[in-house]
Amino acid sequence: CTVILILNFTCVKKQQIILVSSSLIFLMVLFFFGRTTSLKSETDVIVPKQAGEAVSILTTQDLITKAKQHLTIQQASYLSQLENSVVRGDVKDQQIAVYYQLAKFWGDSLHHPELRSYYLGEAAKLENSEKNLTFAARLLLDALMAEDNPARQKWMATEAKSLFEKSLTINPNNDSSKIGIGACYIFGNISDNPMEGILAVREIAAKDPDNLYAQLILGLGGVKSGQYDKAIERFLIVVRKQPYNLEAILNLAETYERVGDKTNAVKWYMAAQKMISLPEAKNELEKRIKALQ
């Protein structure tokens, strides 16, 4: 149940970012109920899809149309007003304001965080803001990691990749955005050759071993490809540098569990347990620990 949270981030130094969770509840939900992928490979690469496994194409309009089917008359009317405001608006600032309204409405009132992220991205494109582009991209990448529908994964990855790429036109030296694009290739079904994504991330990790975001993504990629020993190495790099990184610790514990190393799995689950106060999460960890002992 590999997890990655990309809601907020902390700068360690210039171009070195390790992403941390702004919501412990979301992290634990992803960890205990997220998808599990177990593919096998002999190298630090992601196994490409087999022939005949083409992922269907899902558009933004498809998502919006489906989501609208569950709206009340009042909600549909208000949403229509906002959408028409975007079409009629001939001033950039007006369009930006409406996109933010749409983002808030879809996210806060209608509980569709992926569409909230989409409209935040649309506003960021008009603003041409590196900060806002990468923020929206990371929200989509976060949602991608929690998603198990291949078509939705591909849509999220495609949208996130375009935002990361636009941010790089503003700041070509942003390694975090380059790693984000690599993650889109690795986890998003947007290419039959995910190697092109992981190579970019490996190049950054080789250049700067202390780039913990790169190490984390490579660890998650190792889990996805079934290369658990390699994943453990990457996660250990992160937790040695950041001993309170709950995301890395949980992934490390689970990966040890996958390889049958119960002693280390218990060790790291116990480390995670000490860091959280949410009763439900502590209870789930206690159950897992007892099952391994």
Side-chain angles (χ1 to χ4, degrees):
C1 305
T2 303
V3 297
I4 181 169
L5 271 289
I6 310 182
L7 295 181
N8 289 322
F9 55 94
T10 301
C11 292
V12 179
K13 63 181 183 178
K14 186 176 181 181
Q15 305 305 330
Q16 177 188 330
I17 298 177
I18 181 68
L19 302 177
V20 297
S21 174
S22 66
S23 170
L24 178 59
I25 294 175
F26 190 31
L27 173 60
M28 301 309 293
V29 167
L30 283 179
F31 181 73
F32 290 109
F33 305 106
R35 72 185 190 281
T36 299
T37 307
S38 180
L39 303 175
K40 294 294 182 181
S41 173
E42 295 182 356
T43 58
D44 191 10
V45 302
I46 305 303
V47 178
K49 299 186 297 296
Q50 300 298 316
E53 291 187 59
V55 177
S56 59
I57 297 176
L58 182 68
T59 68
T60 303
Q61 190 56 52
D62 291 335
L63 288 172
I64 294 174
T65 299
K66 184 175 181 179
K68 283 182 177 179
Q69 295 173 0
H70 305 286
L71 302 185
T72 65
I73 294 176
Q74 292 80 5
Q75 289 172 333
S77 176
Y78 178 67
L79 187 59
S80 178
Q81 291 178 23
L82 289 179
E83 292 174 335
N84 289 333
S85 295
V86 174
V87 175
R88 292 195 304 267
D90 57 358
V91 179
K92 185 174 71 171
D93 288 345
Q94 178 185 343
Q95 291 179 317
I96 291 171
V98 175
Y99 280 138
Y100 277 119
Q101 287 179 283
L102 282 164
K104 181 176 177 61
F105 189 57
W106 276 114
D108 296 347
S109 301
L110 303 180
H111 308 296
H112 285 279
E114 73 284 2
L115 291 177
R116 171 181 178 264
S117 302
Y118 167 76
Y119 281 111
L120 287 177
E122 292 301 291
K125 289 176 185 177
L126 291 178
E127 293 170 319
N128 202 33
S129 164
E130 179 193 4
K131 177 182 177 181
N132 292 344
L133 284 164
T134 55
F135 178 69
R138 289 185 181 107
L139 287 176
L140 285 164
L141 188 54
D142 172 38
L144 161 62
M145 293 298 191
E147 181 60 57
D148 58 6
N149 180 290
R152 288 173 64 87
Q153 288 175 341
K154 186 172 184 177
W155 175 80
M156 292 171 183
T158 301
E159 292 296 324
K161 176 175 172 286
S162 69
L163 295 173
F164 281 129
E165 289 175 337
K166 187 168 179 61
S167 76
L168 284 172
T169 65
I170 302 171
N171 179 8
N173 298 317
N174 190 329
D175 282 349
S176 180
S177 290
K178 294 175 184 177
I179 295 167
I181 292 174
C184 290
Y185 278 107
I186 296 168
F187 304 104
N189 303 309
I190 60 176
S191 172
D192 289 332
N193 181 26
M195 186 67 176
E196 60 186 299
I198 206 165
L199 283 176
V201 181
R202 286 172 61 187
E203 181 179 345
I204 292 171
K207 176 184 66 176
D208 180 11
D210 287 337
N211 189 313
L212 303 184
Y213 182 25
Q215 300 292 355
L216 183 61
I217 291 297
L218 290 172
L220 294 168
V223 173
K224 181 176 175 66
S225 65
Q227 293 297 288
Y228 301 129
D229 290 342
K230 292 180 180 293
I232 287 170
E233 291 176 9
R234 301 292 186 179
F235 293 141
L236 282 172
I237 291 173
V238 177
V239 298
R240 285 167 182 160
K241 295 286 186 178
Q242 292 191 333
Y244 298 105
N245 188 308
L246 183 58
E247 180 183 352
I249 289 172
L250 284 170
N251 279 295
L252 180 60
E254 190 206 20
T255 309
Y256 272 124
E257 183 179 353
R258 285 172 179 257
V259 299
D261 188 340
K262 295 182 179 180
T263 300
N264 274 310
V266 168
K267 170 187 173 181
W268 290 104
Y269 280 134
M270 291 179 68
Q273 191 179 39
K274 294 176 182 178
M275 296 169 58
I276 63 175
S277 57
L278 189 68
E280 294 86 349
K282 291 182 76 73
N283 290 338
E284 289 296 330
L285 281 171
E286 184 63 28
K287 291 177 185 178
R288 186 165 290 195
I289 290 168
K290 287 182 177 180
L292 290 169
Q293 287 176 330

